[in-house]
Amino acid sequence: MESKNGGSWSKYDKFVGMLAVGLFAGYFVRPTEAAIVAVVPPLLSPLAVWLPCSLFIFALAGTTGLYTAILQTKLRDSEQMGRLVVQRVS
């Protein structure tokens, strides 16, 4: 399975990969954990105070679903997916 750019990662791919690794490091590295803890609660605390618990969880789930759907539509290569479906069928 060959990609359009010869299988190499773009700058965007490398950035997102490093960001993911950095966030995973938050579980193991105290300074990274402290940075994440410093950013997330100020963003979510107002919602947690103003909304009932069920609506707060629904808002988080809805946000996650929305950005996942947007990322999938932006990053999916429909031509390559079509080729893969044709290869599986034949």
Side-chain angles (χ1 to χ4, degrees), residues 14-78:
K14 291 175 185 176
F15 172 74
V16 172
M18 292 305 295
L19 179 65
V21 169
L23 290 174
F24 286 137
Y27 289 109
F28 306 107
V29 179
R30 289 284 181 202
T32 306
E33 178 185 6
I36 293 170
V37 168
V39 171
V40 173
L43 296 175
L44 295 181
S45 293
L47 285 177
V49 170
W50 296 330
L51 295 175
C53 182
S54 58
L55 287 178
F56 179 67
I57 293 172
F58 184 73
L60 291 177
T63 304
T64 302
L66 180 65
Y67 76 71
T68 300
I70 291 171
L71 286 175
Q72 282 182 351
T73 58
K74 296 288 184 187
L75 299 176
R76 183 182 305 141
D77 185 359
S78 57

